[in-house]
Amino acid sequence: MRKTHVVKAASVATLALALAACSSSSDATDEASATAGGSNDASSSESVSVSFIQGVIGDNFYISMECGVLAAAEDLGGIDVSVQGPQKWDPALQQPVLASVTAADPDAILIAPNDISALQRPLEEAAEGSEIVLVDTTVEDPSFAVSEIASDNVGGGAAAFDAIKEMVPEGGKVLVIDNQPGISTSDARVEGFEGAVEADADFEYIGVEYAQNQPAKAAQIVTSTLQAHPDLKAIFATNIYSAEGAATGIEQAGVAGDVQVVGFDAGPAQVEALEDGTVQAIIAQQPFDIGYQGVEQALAALNGEATESKIQTGFTIVTKESLDTEEGQAALYASTCK
């Protein structure tokens, strides 16, 4: 049986102020914890325990999401946060993390599942004692969750193709480099990109290759693809590691500027690639907002209040020209949190 908490949330500071507070210092570790009581009053003296399970430790996307989780906990008050995650994106590594968290019986769990199938049953079991909020990724049947919060990934994939069309108005061959099948977010990005490119007769889609979150493998994919398709015009890389590897492969092949690359996410490696011209555009998600709203939804569920079953956050297209603008800088991911 789930525990019931009644916690009165104090007024929430604006996300812009919270995001500014997020950009200072806190190392992402295998297990970090923070108590965010602040000066906010709560109607219960008992703290609410929230566990955030990242998709992978040390990823700037999930660090930024952690910043949002911690900022929400501080603003709302009376919330203890613990942060865990696997060292690699691997459901076999994430499952024991979830099992350990479930055994600790937190009031709520925010989690980015590593696989739509492998985490299904473990999360159903966890939901018997904790409120579950799915952040970023989801599972085959998320009906046990109080909310799913993620980017508009289909729209992000379509936007990536729009960016390529502006860079290559004459059309040509395009490639997608993805992580691996079975990840809800990147599957949706590929779907959005494929739908957009197939509707444009000027472009030839030569398919999707999987780099399994290994930049070196993504670089090899670029090299082998250029051997088979020397007239390749553009690459859409669906996540941080794919974009990093694509940029390396382009540079190694000596075709920087000739092959356009649009990457997903806005970590330091992507920004560096944008600055040096190996990547021409990046699609930045809003992980801070995802984490912040995840805590809000968990707290609402614990209070017995209505929750939003699905929340989609937006994205920002960042180019070298827009990088130093206020909007461009606000879109970049954090490396540490206060």
Side-chain angles (χ1 to χ4, degrees), residues 6-336:
V6 180
V7 179
K8 182 178 180 181
S11 61
V12 179
T14 65
L15 287 180
L17 288 175
L19 181 54
C22 154
S23 61
S24 24
S25 63
S26 149
D27 291 334
T29 58
D30 288 347
E31 183 166 353
S33 68
T35 302
S39 58
N40 299 327
D41 293 330
S43 60
S44 169
S45 59
E46 183 182 357
S47 292
V48 171
S49 56
V50 174
S51 291
F52 171 37
I53 302 177
Q54 299 175 326
V56 61
I57 283 289
D59 186 312
N60 292 95
F61 176 81
Y62 290 112
I63 294 171
S64 296
M65 195 180 296
E66 177 185 348
C67 295
V69 169
L70 295 176
E74 182 173 357
D75 287 344
L76 299 173
I79 301 173
D80 294 338
V81 175
S82 66
V83 182
Q84 292 85 214
Q87 291 286 349
K88 294 195 302 182
W89 185 280
D90 185 341
L93 297 179
Q94 193 181 47
Q95 287 183 63
V97 175
L98 175 58
S100 176
V101 167
T102 302
D105 197 27
D107 298 307
I109 298 172
L110 276 61
I111 183 170
N114 276 184
D115 187 86
I116 59 173
S117 301
L119 274 297
Q120 178 73 43
R121 183 57 185 158
L123 280 170
E124 288 174 347
E125 293 172 353
E128 294 174 5
S130 304
E131 302 290 1
I132 307 294
V133 178
L134 300 175
V135 287
D136 182 39
T137 50
T138 188
V139 290
E140 290 173 339
D141 178 9
S143 57
F144 57 82
V146 300
S147 186
E148 297 176 80
I149 308 173
S151 305
D152 176 9
N153 286 290
V154 172
F161 178 64
D162 288 340
I164 286 174
K165 283 206 302 184
E166 291 210 8
M167 298 176 211
V168 192
E170 71 277 12
K173 294 180 179 179
V174 293
L175 168 73
V176 173
I177 301 179
D178 192 14
N179 174 13
Q180 61 192 41
I183 299 172
S184 60
T185 49
S186 57
D187 284 350
R189 292 168 201 164
V190 175
E191 176 190 343
F193 186 88
E194 288 179 341
V197 71
E198 288 170 3
D200 193 319
D202 291 333
F203 287 84
E204 179 184 349
Y205 178 51
I206 62 173
V208 55
E209 297 284 346
Y210 297 101
Q212 299 174 332
N213 266 348
Q214 299 176 34
K217 187 163 186 177
Q220 291 170 358
I221 289 169
V222 170
T223 301
S224 60
T225 300
L226 284 169
Q227 290 173 349
H229 301 277
D231 54 346
L232 180 69
K233 292 295 184 180
I235 298 170
F236 170 41
T238 66
N239 73 353
I240 284 177
Y241 304 107
S242 298
E244 181 182 343
T248 300
I250 292 290
E251 189 173 9
Q252 289 174 342
V255 293
D258 296 329
V259 179
Q260 309 300 305
V261 180
V262 175
F264 222 91
D265 289 316
Q270 285 65 58
V271 173
E272 183 179 346
L274 194 64
E275 290 173 330
D276 66 23
T278 49
V279 168
Q280 282 67 50
I282 52 179
I283 311 295
Q285 302 181 75
Q286 297 176 344
F288 181 93
D289 292 356
I290 293 173
Y292 199 105
Q293 293 186 67
V295 175
E296 289 182 318
Q297 292 300 306
L299 193 60
L302 289 165
N303 284 343
E305 300 168 359
T307 59
E308 296 183 62
S309 60
K310 265 193 179 178
I311 299 174
Q312 281 194 330
T313 57
F315 51 85
T316 304
I317 299 176
V318 183
T319 64
K320 190 173 184 178
E321 291 70 31
S322 66
L323 179 60
D324 290 329
T325 66
E326 184 176 349
E327 182 184 26
Q329 287 297 301
L332 305 185
Y333 300 169
S335 296
T336 55

